[in-house]
């Protein structure tokens, strides 16, 4: 087990049992991201940093017939994910892997995906730029990579930003203020296009990288 994997297991060993309930009030970019996916019929969806599989299950319900896959570095979180998937008897597969270098062909027998999702995970991945680049490489022709994470909070009171960032640090979360620059650079490197926007006064950042 890598050092980061062990750290994530330690962070979420107990939190995973209440994660979805406690995160709902402030992970505000997740549902707009899911609504914007427009997964094609029978499309393949991969979530990197899938955690409890909350998003994957929402995607499976919304886009019937989609083939859903998830990767996470935390074995503890995947334990909760598999239990949730089993309760819903959902057609979702999850596996343990490092966001920067996992091999989806080895894990799932699939090399490219119509939609790739990273929701509030880049802010917890030390090598987040490498993870972003790896994710872009997994997008099938005509597909897209969708990212949601914390924004720069520029439109909100400074005290709110300071308090939020200090609180997030207790959970090993570091908002990636260079996300737009990095997303556009990754898209250009892969011959893809990038759309970026912030919502709710900069509370959440949403990026979409599309392959032609």
């Amino acid at each position: 087990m890598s050092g980061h994997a062990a750290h994530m297991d330690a962070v979420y060993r107990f939190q995973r049992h209440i994660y979805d309930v406690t995160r709902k009030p402030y992970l505000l970019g997740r549902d707009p991201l899911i609504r914007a996916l427009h997964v094609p019929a029978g499309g393949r969806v991969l979530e990197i940093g899938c955690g409890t599989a909350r998003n994957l299950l929402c995607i499976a319900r919304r886009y019937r017939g989609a083939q859903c896959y998830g990767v996470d570095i935390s074995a503890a979180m995947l334990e909760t994910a598999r239990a949730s998937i089993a309760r819903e008897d959902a057609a979702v597969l999850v596996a343990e892997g490092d966001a920067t270098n996992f091999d989806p062909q080895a894990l799932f027998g699939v090399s490219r995906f119509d939609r790739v999702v990273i929701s509030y995970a880049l802010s917890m991945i030390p090598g987040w730029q490498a993870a972003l680049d790896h994710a872009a490489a997994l997008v099938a022709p005509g597909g897209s990579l969708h990212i949601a994470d914390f924004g720069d909070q520029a439109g909100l009171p400074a005290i709110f930003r300071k308090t939020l960032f200090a609180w997030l640090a207790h959970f090993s979360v570091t908002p990636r203020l260079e996300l737009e620059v990095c997303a556009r650079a990754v898209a250009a490197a892969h011959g893809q296009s990038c759309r970026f926007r912030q919502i709710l006064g900069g509370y959440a950042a949403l990026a979409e990288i599309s392959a032609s």
Side-chain angles (χ1 to χ4, degrees):
M1 178 183 292
S2 72
H4 184 53
H7 178 61
M8 288 296 96
D9 277 349
V11 169
Y12 290 119
R13 182 163 290 114
F14 301 108
Q15 287 189 47
R16 64 192 174 92
H17 299 294
I18 58 171
Y19 182 89
D20 291 334
V21 172
T22 57
R23 267 53 176 184
K24 185 176 181 179
Y26 69 91
L27 299 186
L28 303 178
R30 298 184 301 180
D31 292 335
L33 179 153
I34 292 170
R35 289 193 295 269
L37 286 178
H38 303 299
V39 180
R44 292 169 171 168
V45 180
L46 169 69
E47 182 174 19
I48 299 172
C50 65
T52 64
R54 179 266 186 192
N55 293 333
L56 285 171
L57 291 171
C58 288
I59 291 167
R61 292 186 215 109
R62 186 179 183 91
Y63 303 100
R64 297 292 182 180
Q67 302 173 58
C68 296
Y69 307 87
V71 171
D72 202 281
I73 200 169
S74 170
M77 287 294 258
L78 288 174
E79 184 179 340
T80 295
R82 292 188 178 104
S84 297
I85 292 165
R87 279 196 300 272
E88 295 202 21
D89 193 24
V92 176
L93 294 177
V94 296
E96 188 173 342
D98 187 318
T100 64
N101 59 18
F102 69 93
D103 180 356
Q105 184 66 46
L107 294 176
F108 307 119
V110 180
S111 59
R112 296 290 184 274
F113 302 84
D114 300 292
R115 300 290 184 269
V116 179
V117 173
I118 311 178
S119 174
Y120 291 91
L122 290 179
S123 50
M124 301 192 72
I125 299 172
W128 67 276
Q129 298 97 330
L132 183 57
D133 183 71
H134 186 46
L138 301 180
V139 178
S144 50
L145 164 61
H146 298 254
I147 302 155
D149 219 304
F150 293 102
D152 61 14
Q153 319 292 308
L156 299 171
I159 186 63
F160 179 89
R161 180 182 189 273
K162 182 177 180 180
T163 302
L164 175 65
F165 283 16
W167 184 69
L168 292 174
H170 288 294
F171 301 96
S172 300
V173 176
T174 304
R176 307 306 184 186
L177 303 184
E178 311 90 346
L179 177 56
E180 180 177 6
V181 171
C182 188
R184 293 192 185 283
V186 165
H190 288 272
Q192 300 166 338
S193 61
C194 178
R195 295 171 53 202
F196 182 91
R197 64 190 176 104
Q198 298 200 77
I199 60 174
L200 304 173
Y203 183 86
L206 300 171
E208 181 178 333
I209 295 176
S210 301
S212 56

